[in-house]
Amino acid sequence: MFLLVGYVIILAASLGTYAMHGNLLALWVPAEYLAIVGLAIGAFVGGNDIRIIKATLAAIPGALKGSKFTTAFYVDVLALLYEILSKVRKEGLMSIEGDVENPEASPIFTKYPNIVADHHVIEFMTDYLRMMVGGNLNTVEIESLMDVELETHHHETAEPGHVMSKSADALPAFGIIVAVMGVVNVMGSVGEPPAILGRMIGGALVGTFLGILISYGFVSPLAGLLAQKAHEGGTVFKCIKQVLLASMSGYAPQVAVEFGRKVLDSTTRPSFRALEDELKARRGR
């Protein structure tokens, strides 16, 4: 939502101030718009494989939505982990085997539909709970494996932002290409009256204007937002990691979830008291 607000402000600041002393119709050169957009799309398609293209196109709509990683979301994650680990502490690791193998039908997991709906989070959580049930790996080995998986996940989620950033960097050059093409056209029309040549030169310069405006005013902010979304989406996995490792190290569920709480950003981290009260309230349900 704020991305669209930013776009409106950018258009108002650029086109609005220009309209105060110039004619907006002078900026309407459809051929140059088509050329710049075509060059940008061509470079995007030619420079990335189909997996990256699909991931980028899928990530863009998410940039327009608010974040789902709110304090309430993290309270649900920590409460879910607390319930699972409490069951392990009371009944043993084998007691959660059914929950882990089929979380969609688990009495514990189904209490948290927002978490179950995120298959990446559920897969990460259940995979390592399954390893804990198997009992074949120690804490150091599990942590090392988690770090490798999180590094791979971070690389994948960061790709859309990286790709859009490269596109933003290329757009000013594409604007220059279009402007040069316009100048070449002007040079072939040197016999025309000055008024016509002036319009042709102005139209050629629109290419440079468009390349810079689209790059720094539209694509670059989108690239930055996609990078922020990727970073934001990785925090929940770090939270789960710390809770599970703390549990494997022998800490009680109440203490283990505190390890996870400390990983969260200050803007989304529930307070110790708020989380404790929430866990007590859910235990009473």
Side-chain angles (χ1 to χ4, degrees), residues 34-276:
L34 289 174
I36 290 176
V37 172
L39 286 166
I41 293 175
F44 173 72
V45 172
N48 301 285
D49 62 32
I50 188 63
R51 179 183 62 84
I52 300 299
I53 293 172
K54 287 182 177 180
T56 303
L57 295 178
I60 290 174
L64 303 177
K65 301 176 182 177
S67 175
K68 70 176 181 179
F69 298 105
T70 61
T71 300
F73 179 87
Y74 284 117
V75 167
D76 280 347
V77 170
L78 293 171
L80 170 58
L81 288 167
Y82 177 80
E83 285 200 49
I84 288 288
L85 297 178
S86 294
K87 185 175 181 180
V88 169
R89 195 169 185 85
K90 293 176 183 176
E91 304 174 27
L93 276 168
M94 296 305 297
S95 66
I96 64 168
E97 186 174 13
D99 299 295
V100 170
E101 294 299 332
N102 191 10
E104 291 80 9
S106 164
I108 297 178
F109 280 94
T110 52
K111 294 180 184 178
Y112 305 92
N114 291 336
I115 311 301
V116 174
D118 192 323
H119 71 276
H120 291 297
V121 171
I122 287 297
E123 183 178 359
F124 183 83
M125 188 183 298
T126 55
D127 279 353
Y128 289 102
L129 285 170
R130 190 178 294 112
M131 291 181 186
M132 290 170 61
V133 171
N136 297 323
L137 297 175
N138 60 39
T139 306
V140 175
E141 292 170 326
I142 290 285
E143 182 175 13
S144 177
L145 185 58
M146 284 179 170
D147 288 340
V148 172
E149 182 173 355
L150 289 178
E151 182 179 354
T152 302
H153 177 269
H154 174 73
H155 177 75
E156 289 180 350
T157 55
E159 281 292 348
H162 180 62
V163 166
M164 293 306 295
S165 180
K166 289 194 296 183
S167 296
D169 291 341
L171 275 164
F174 292 150
I176 292 173
I177 290 174
V178 173
V180 170
M181 292 166 61
V183 171
V184 171
N185 186 40
V186 171
M187 292 297 100
S189 306
V190 291
E192 298 290 340
I196 295 178
L197 287 176
R199 284 197 298 271
M200 294 177 68
I201 294 172
L205 293 176
V206 169
T208 303
F209 161 74
L210 286 177
I212 296 173
L213 177 64
I214 296 172
S215 171
Y216 295 107
F218 292 89
V219 181
S220 186
L222 177 60
L225 189 56
L226 289 175
Q228 292 173 25
K229 293 285 186 180
H231 172 76
E232 181 181 62
T235 303
V236 64
F237 298 101
K238 296 178 183 177
C239 174
I240 295 169
K241 168 191 167 183
Q242 292 302 323
V243 173
L244 295 182
L245 290 177
S247 177
M248 290 184 69
S249 298
Y251 289 98
Q254 183 71 45
V255 179
V257 296
E258 180 64 14
F259 276 72
R261 188 185 73 85
K262 285 296 187 181
V263 172
L264 304 178
D265 296 332
S266 60
T267 54
T268 55
R269 182 195 304 145
S271 68
F272 174 84
R273 182 60 61 189
L275 179 59
E276 184 179 46

